[in-house]
Amino acid sequence: MIIRVPDTLNVDNAEKYRVSIRLWPDGLSFSGYIPSEADSFFTGTVSPARNMPLVQSLKEIFFDNECFSYVYDSLHVIAVAEKYTLAPDGIFSEKDKDVLFSFCFRADKNRKVLSHPLKPFGASLLFGLDNEAYEFMIRSLINPQFIHFLSPLLLSWRQKSLACYPKQLYVVVHDTMLDIVCLEHGEILFINSFRHENENDIIYFIMYVCKQLSVNQLEDYIYFCGERPLCRKIMPVIKKYMAQVDYLSPRIEKYRTALDQDMYIDVKTLIECGL
């Protein structure tokens, strides 16, 4: 399971790079760039063996790719975790995060509860990660920073929401999962994840949330991102009911990727934030 990286990425040059490891149930991507060098962005993806525990797959991937042992300018581990919740600063404390998380989800001894502060919202995003996978990465990587994939997106969307009067509904489409976030004037009105089996499920959840939040069909916005093929199937249906529907492209002009490469919207947002 070899990941392609540039020839310039080696043990002597690694400290110039800002990299991210994006981890989701069926895959792992490794991306990076040098801030001072245009077009230096790269990304590679591998799929862990389905019949193998996650931590064992990670061990094989790390063993096959020397780049995971380098020292970088920054290293983020982006977790695409289905279970997450926001904890307001008024009730959050690092020592009580497991208790807070258990209010929303059943306790699981195999899960590591992590937190990422979202200061503009006055809250922290709590999320769960496989405990063995977490312990392995802590031992194997040098100074990794663990974040949920929604963290950079929420901060970016807040800025967009502050500059836009109508409500904004963001729909992140995954293969079997769906995240819906609604903001108004920089405040989160709704945030949740759903499991889906087909396009009809996705359409139902979107329309249900729109109804619950009294989304204006003419003025409010719906933005899609994530799995492009699924979005293409869903968007024409949503456009029958909503006037303002668009797809958020993950492309960045300065760090243009090859045509056959996928770039994830959260990885793009990390770069835009300068992380």
Side-chain angles (χ1 to χ4, degrees):
M1 291 183 280
I2 302 298
I3 299 175
R4 291 184 180 181
V5 299
D7 293 336
T8 54
L9 179 56
N10 52 58
V11 67
D12 298 319
N13 207 35
E15 289 187 356
K16 295 181 180 180
Y17 279 87
R18 296 177 179 177
V19 303
S20 62
I21 299 170
R22 189 179 195 269
L23 183 64
W24 67 98
D26 297 321
L28 177 149
S29 73
F30 182 72
S31 308
Y33 71 106
I34 300 175
S36 61
E37 297 185 13
D39 298 325
S40 61
F41 177 83
F42 72 89
T43 186
T45 302
V46 293
S47 298
R50 290 182 177 273
N51 59 346
M52 185 183 297
L54 174 60
V55 66
Q56 187 60 40
S57 292
L58 288 175
K59 288 179 180 179
E60 292 196 4
I61 294 170
F62 279 43
F63 179 80
D64 290 340
N65 297 275
E66 186 181 359
C67 57
F68 289 106
S69 65
Y70 296 162
V71 177
Y72 295 102
D73 180 45
S74 68
L75 169 57
H76 286 85
V77 178
I78 306 171
V80 182
E82 179 183 2
K83 295 180 179 180
Y84 58 85
T85 189
L86 282 175
D89 288 345
I91 65 170
F92 175 75
S93 67
E94 189 68 21
K95 65 182 179 64
D96 294 328
K97 63 185 178 183
D98 290 87
V99 176
L100 291 171
F101 199 75
S102 67
F103 286 154
C104 301
F105 307 103
R106 182 183 301 175
D108 184 352
K109 64 180 181 180
N110 297 318
R111 178 178 61 212
K112 175 71 175 180
V113 178
L114 301 170
S115 65
H116 185 242
L118 300 175
K119 292 183 179 179
F121 292 107
S124 291
L125 184 61
L126 308 184
F127 59 99
L129 188 64
D130 179 86
N131 190 60
E132 285 189 291
Y134 170 79
E135 292 294 338
F136 170 73
M137 287 188 285
I138 281 291
R139 294 193 305 268
S140 304
L141 300 171
I142 299 174
N143 195 29
Q145 300 178 60
F146 291 83
I147 64 172
H148 191 271
F149 88 97
L150 279 176
S151 291
L153 296 177
L154 288 171
L155 296 173
S156 175
W157 294 341
R158 180 179 182 273
Q159 293 301 313
K160 190 179 183 74
S161 176
L162 287 171
C164 182
Y165 178 76
K167 294 187 185 78
Q168 296 176 318
L169 202 73
Y170 293 91
V171 180
V172 188
V173 181
H174 313 267
D175 283 336
T176 59
M177 191 175 79
L178 174 73
D179 295 281
I180 300 179
V181 178
C182 184
L183 293 99
E184 185 176 28
H185 309 313
E187 298 295 327
I188 297 176
L189 301 183
F190 181 91
I191 179 170
N192 206 353
S193 66
F194 306 88
R195 301 292 294 180
H196 70 81
E197 296 182 358
N198 50 51
E199 301 96 84
N200 289 335
D201 288 347
I202 298 174
I203 294 168
Y204 169 80
F205 289 129
I206 294 171
M207 299 310 298
Y208 178 80
V209 172
C210 286
K211 181 180 179 180
Q212 293 296 107
L213 298 177
S214 299
V215 170
N216 188 300
Q217 292 177 272
L218 297 178
E219 297 181 358
D220 295 337
Y221 290 82
I222 295 186
Y223 293 106
F224 283 84
C225 54
E227 295 293 330
R228 194 184 298 265
L230 267 175
C231 291
R232 284 176 176 169
K233 293 180 180 179
I234 297 159
M235 288 175 63
V237 179
I238 301 299
K239 285 181 178 180
K240 294 179 181 179
Y241 306 97
M242 298 291 299
Q244 310 289 344
V245 180
D246 202 0
Y247 181 82
L248 298 177
S249 172
R251 298 291 180 185
I252 296 181
E253 291 301 320
K254 184 177 181 181
Y255 299 104
R256 190 183 303 277
T257 59
L259 293 176
D260 61 344
Q261 286 184 313
D262 278 330
M263 187 176 185
Y264 297 99
I265 191 75
D266 40 270
V267 174
K268 166 192 171 180
T269 308
L270 274 178
I271 295 175
E272 291 175 334
C273 294
L275 299 176

